[in-house]
Amino acid sequence: MTAREYNLAVDDYSDNIFRFALKHLKNEMSAKDIVQETFAKVWSKHEDINVEKVKSYLFITAYHAIVDWVKSEKRSGDIEQTKEQGTSGNVSFDLQSVLNEALEKLPEVQKSVVLLRDYEGYNYAEISEITGLNESQVKVYIFRARLTLREYLKRLDLVI
Amino acid sequence: MERISIFNYEAFYLDFLEGNLNEEDTLLLMSFLEANPNLQVEMDDELPIFEEENEVLDNFSKLMLKLNIDEEVITSENVDYFIIAHSEGLLDEVKSNELTNFISGNVVLEDESKLAGFVSFQANTEIVYADKLGLKKKRKVFVLWPYASSIAAASVVVFFMSIIDDAPISVDPVRVKTVNTELPNGNNHKIVKHDGVHSSSNSKDELRNSINSININQVATVGKGNKIKQKGVDKIKSNPAGPIATINEQKLAPIGTRYSNPTNTANQNKEVDVLALSPKSEMHNPIEPLTKFVSKKTNTEIDFKTTEKVEDERRGFHLKIGKFEISRNKRR
């Protein structure tokens, strides 16, 4: 991958990586750090990366960076605070807001696979490549996440 | 040996608590405990017992463990799976129709099916990463000046080399020709090249006249070291006979080797003919790969040519960079 192709990847995917990280971390500064770290790692190996695979490579790197970040934050207890803050607000019946609240209740791995599926439109095989799970696991996590989200909406008695 | 002792009474005691001790052993245990009151065993203790839990794996999780679920008939136990699979776009047309038929008329399932269609996320495209520029790498800029400067440097070197190379031959060719023609057995064959024209004569007087006829101003105007050349010519003019002898003995030996063994006039004349017919210099590019490379990179016509020094010509050059051209090609 050349510097020009790398710069095009920045234009094309930095927003996606940022949104993906922000959804997980709920912290803009941390999400920006993830973006920086992701692109820095990709550039460090740019000579070995095929430009056609760069998006996948970016998301693999970002995913692992997020997982590492979540682990470290869990150790320090910050993530619990974030979750509490996220759920302590007024209940909103805006569908996306409710879904976002429900998303926060999912385990990290389920959250990741659902976001990769919905935000980026990856298929199970691609998500499998990014997360290191096998395709069956990806499917199971997505189905469970969907079921949990649906049950969350049902409990709120949202009338469609 | 007693059947119950301090080493095994606990096993009997646990069996007693669990109700597994028979009557005979129970009596033996009681007798033992009475005989050993220091053991402080409470006969009415109850063992902690974990009650069986009723938690079971839900149907959905069980379904997800199975293989080839998609091929199963839709039932009330697996309908959740097919509803989500439908929202994921995993069902073919046949299975989708089967699901539609199954849930139609069932309000609860219809609502759940509708809800399943809503549990997907859409990225908020208004959220963007602002500092893209900070992530980007500066592309390598092709710097032209090193190539241009290298060409200029090469040109300067060639220019000065041409001047230095020209300096000692500005006068010598005349001397060579005149002196060498004196060597072969007093034939006094003389070659005088003046303004590019070769001439020959057979007398010393003519030779002297020819030397005197050299346009001194013309020689003196060429390059650096003009003073030296001028002095040499002045010396020749002031004492026409002397310089010839001096040159003959001291200065012209190396150059004269070209004519060092002219055993006869015929050979000498042959040498003269070769000299007279020697081709004028041809232009060539000594740094052609470099100029081609720079020309290709800059998309600018770049050419650099020099001439070889021959006889009465100095080394010249021609440099062209785009519309800019400079050349030097002086002849004596």
Side-chain angles (χ1 to χ4, degrees):
Chain A
M1 183 172 63
T2 64
R4 181 176 170 275
E5 290 164 341
Y6 169 85
N7 287 343
L8 285 174
V10 170
D11 285 333
D12 290 344
Y13 306 125
S14 61
D15 291 338
N16 307 44
I17 299 287
F18 179 61
R19 284 192 286 263
F20 183 63
L22 188 62
K23 208 69 177 170
H24 275 279
L25 309 180
K26 296 291 174 193
N27 183 318
E28 191 174 328
M29 290 304 294
S30 299
K32 284 180 178 176
D33 288 346
I34 294 291
V35 175
Q36 287 276 356
E37 183 182 336
T38 299
F39 277 92
K41 282 184 179 175
V42 167
W43 176 249
S44 71
K45 295 183 178 178
H46 72 281
E47 290 176 352
D48 303 325
I49 297 173
N50 187 336
V51 67
E52 293 171 1
K53 289 273 186 181
V54 68
K55 184 184 178 187
S56 177
Y57 204 95
L58 282 166
F59 271 93
I60 290 170
T61 310
Y63 174 76
H64 289 294
I66 289 167
V67 169
D68 290 344
W69 188 91
V70 169
K71 282 179 183 173
S72 66
E73 291 302 306
K74 268 184 178 173
R75 280 196 292 272
S76 66
D78 290 354
I79 198 81
E80 282 78 7
Q81 284 185 353
T82 307
K83 279 190 172 180
E84 284 171 13
Q85 287 167 0
T87 54
S88 63
N90 294 329
V91 175
S92 168
F93 286 92
D94 172 64
L95 186 61
Q96 280 297 318
S97 301
V98 173
L99 276 175
N100 286 331
E101 286 178 13
L103 186 70
E104 294 309 308
K105 297 186 178 305
L106 295 178
E108 285 298 323
V109 65
Q110 290 186 22
K111 195 196 292 188
S112 293
V113 294
V114 166
L115 289 176
L116 287 169
R117 177 82 171 154
D118 290 351
Y119 274 23
E120 305 303 326
Y122 280 124
N123 60 36
Y124 296 157
E126 290 167 331
I127 295 170
S128 163
E129 187 183 358
I130 289 169
T131 57
L133 304 165
N134 63 46
E135 281 189 52
S136 297
Q137 286 175 306
V138 170
K139 184 179 176 183
V140 168
Y141 285 137
I142 287 176
F143 272 56
R144 283 183 186 163
R146 300 271 188 233
L147 194 66
T148 305
L149 294 169
R150 198 188 71 180
E151 295 304 311
Y152 188 84
L153 296 182
K154 275 169 68 176
R155 280 204 296 273
L156 291 176
D157 199 20
L158 289 174
V159 179
I160 303 166
Chain B
M1 184 179 172
E2 294 290 333
R3 188 150 178 263
I4 299 176
S5 67
I6 58 171
F7 301 109
N8 63 5
Y9 79 97
E10 286 177 323
F12 284 90
Y13 175 64
L14 289 173
D15 284 342
F16 171 76
L17 291 178
E18 288 180 348
N20 295 330
L21 203 64
N22 60 35
E23 189 176 350
E24 182 186 357
D25 288 340
T26 303
L27 290 172
L28 282 173
L29 178 64
M30 295 302 171
S31 302
F32 175 78
L33 292 175
E34 283 177 10
N36 298 279
N38 57 327
L39 294 176
Q40 296 180 343
V41 175
E42 296 293 334
M43 296 307 291
D44 55 354
D45 274 353
E46 287 186 3
L47 288 175
I49 296 171
F50 292 98
E51 291 181 1
E52 185 182 355
E53 295 184 16
N54 293 322
E55 290 182 8
V56 292
L57 194 63
D58 59 272
N59 282 335
F60 187 84
S61 297
K62 284 178 186 171
L63 268 174
M64 297 302 294
L65 296 173
K66 292 182 179 178
L67 299 172
N68 304 322
I69 313 168
D70 298 344
E71 297 171 3
E72 289 191 2
V73 177
I74 299 173
T75 63
S76 55
E77 282 78 30
N78 63 19
V79 68
D80 280 340
Y81 170 86
F82 284 101
I83 287 172
I84 292 171
H86 181 66
S87 68
E88 283 283 298
L90 300 179
L91 297 184
D92 57 24
E93 192 177 346
V94 176
K95 213 68 184 173
S96 294
N97 291 334
E98 186 183 338
L99 177 67
T100 306
N101 293 334
F102 186 84
I103 64 175
S104 63
N106 188 326
V107 179
V108 175
L109 290 180
E110 283 178 347
D111 285 348
E112 288 187 347
S113 180
K114 284 178 184 174
L115 274 175
F118 286 104
V119 289
S120 63
F121 294 88
Q122 291 179 340
N124 183 357
T125 53
E126 292 177 359
I127 299 172
V128 294
Y129 185 75
D131 188 25
K132 289 191 182 70
L133 205 60
L135 293 174
K136 291 184 177 179
K137 301 293 175 189
K138 290 180 181 176
R139 292 171 62 186
K140 288 181 182 175
V141 178
F142 188 79
V143 183
L144 299 178
W145 68 264
Y147 302 101
S149 60
S150 60
I151 288 181
S155 305
V156 170
V157 168
V158 171
F159 177 76
F160 280 105
M161 282 177 64
S162 66
I163 291 172
I164 293 167
D165 288 348
D166 286 348
I169 63 167
S170 59
V171 175
D172 289 348
V174 176
R175 294 175 183 168
V176 170
K177 292 159 193 170
T178 57
V179 171
N180 282 330
T181 52
E182 287 182 330
L183 290 176
N185 302 324
N187 283 335
N188 293 329
H189 189 88
K190 182 191 72 172
I191 304 165
V192 176
K193 186 180 180 185
H194 187 195
D195 293 336
V197 177
H198 292 269
S199 62
S200 64
S201 65
N202 289 321
S203 72
K204 285 184 179 179
D205 292 336
E206 288 178 3
L207 172 61
R208 290 183 187 117
N209 291 335
S210 298
I211 292 170
N212 286 332
S213 70
I214 293 171
N215 186 342
I216 295 169
N217 291 332
Q218 185 183 3
V219 174
T221 55
V222 179
K224 293 182 179 178
N226 287 344
K227 290 180 181 177
I228 299 170
K229 299 169 194 170
Q230 183 69 52
K231 283 180 182 176
V233 176
D234 289 345
K235 199 173 178 181
I236 294 169
K237 286 185 72 178
S238 63
N239 187 7
I244 294 172
T246 305
I247 294 166
N248 204 4
E249 292 167 2
Q250 298 175 3
K251 295 184 178 178
L252 300 177
I255 303 172
T257 53
R258 185 175 178 182
Y259 304 97
S260 59
N261 295 315
T263 53
N264 55 51
T265 307
N267 285 341
Q268 183 186 349
N269 288 337
K270 189 176 180 180
E271 290 288 347
V272 169
D273 290 343
V274 170
L275 186 65
L277 296 173
S278 61
K280 297 297 178 186
S281 58
E282 291 182 0
M283 303 286 277
H284 77 281
N285 188 349
I287 51 171
E288 190 173 0
L290 179 63
T291 52
K292 276 187 177 178
F293 174 73
V294 176
S295 178
K296 187 179 177 183
K297 287 288 181 186
T298 59
N299 200 23
T300 305
E301 186 183 356
I302 296 175
D303 194 15
F304 177 73
K305 288 181 177 176
T306 61
T307 56
E308 290 294 329
K309 181 187 71 179
V310 290
E311 288 302 321
D312 58 340
E313 285 187 6
R314 297 182 179 187
R315 183 175 288 172
F317 72 92
H318 173 251
L319 174 64
K320 182 177 183 182
I321 303 174
K323 293 180 179 177
F324 173 75
E325 286 187 64
I326 183 170
S327 62
R328 177 182 179 275
N329 187 13
K330 288 189 177 178
R331 290 182 181 180
R332 180 168 303 167

